């Protein structure tokens, strides 16, 4: 599909990755440049089910969910870049490296996830993700995933 810049709304996202409520953690992908990079958006709302226990009286978006949201965004980027909408892509975490949490993410925040492919093309892909809120880094990491691509 070349390097043309593209976007993905929730309908297209759901055609690429199997995640659904309450575990679909990317609302829109606003930039897609082939399989090389992209930017996803997660609107954090008080309606998220985990806020009841994380934490009562002081809701904080769980850090591990930030990493998962970046992984889902990377799967969407790769899926669109490879033309895999509605073809059944499965992606499984293999490793997370250098995970750092820099600030709290709370209801009302818009999490912007900037994803860059470090290695990919076969079954094993590696990405760098940086999640920001209002320009400030909330989370950064590198992660490896295995993609079970259709034949």
């Amino acid at each position: 599909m070349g390097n043309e810049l593209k976007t993905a709304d929730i309908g297209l996202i759901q055609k690429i990755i199997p995640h659904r409520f309450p575990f679909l953690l990317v609302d829109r992908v606003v930039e897609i440049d082939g399989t090389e990079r992209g930017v996803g958006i997660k609107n954090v709302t008080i309606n998220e089910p985990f806020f009841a226990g994380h934490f009562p009286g002081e809701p904080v978006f769980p850090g591990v969910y930030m990493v998962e949201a970046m992984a889902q965004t990377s799967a969407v980027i790769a899926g669109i870049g490879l033309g895999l909408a509605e073809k059944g892509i499965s992606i499984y975490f293999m490793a997370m490296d250098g995970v750092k949490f820099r600030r709290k993410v709370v209801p009302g925040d818009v999490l912007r996830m900037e994803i860059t492919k470090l290695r990919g093309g076969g079954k094993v892909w590696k990405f760098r993700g940086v999640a920001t809120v209002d320009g400030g880094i909330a989370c950064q990491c590198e992660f490896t995933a295995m993609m079970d691509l259709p034949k």
Side-chain angles (χ1 to χ4, degrees), residues 16-33:
I16 295 171
I17 61 175
H19 305 78
R20 297 295 182 267
F21 178 84
F23 208 65
L24 180 57
L25 300 173
V26 58
D27 295 319
R28 175 175 291 277
V29 180
V30 295
E31 296 177 22
I32 302 168
D33 188 1

Side-chain angles (χ1 to χ4, degrees), residues 50-114:
F50 46 76
F51 281 137
H54 197 269
F55 298 101
E58 186 183 354
V60 176
F61 191 70
V64 69
Y65 278 46
M66 283 188 257
V67 176
E68 175 65 25
M70 288 190 284
Q72 289 180 19
T73 300
S74 67
V76 172
I77 293 163
I80 289 173
L82 295 171
L84 298 177
E86 299 187 81
K87 293 188 179 170
I89 177 177
S90 296
I91 185 167
Y92 306 98
F93 258 132
M94 294 176 68
M96 295 176 279
D97 299 305
V99 179
K100 294 183 180 157
F101 302 106
R102 302 293 189 185
R103 62 160 284 177
K104 289 192 297 187
V105 175
V106 298
D109 284 344
V110 175
L111 194 64
R112 178 182 168 90
M113 300 163 290
E114 298 180 22

Side-chain angles (χ1 to χ4, degrees), residues 103-130:
R103 62 160 284 177
K104 289 192 297 187
V105 175
V106 298
D109 284 344
V110 175
L111 194 64
R112 178 182 168 90
M113 300 163 290
E114 298 180 22
I115 307 299
T116 304
K117 179 183 80 176
L118 300 176
R119 181 179 72 240
K123 281 192 161 226
V124 178
W125 292 58
K126 186 167 186 169
F127 301 92
R128 174 177 295 119
V130 178

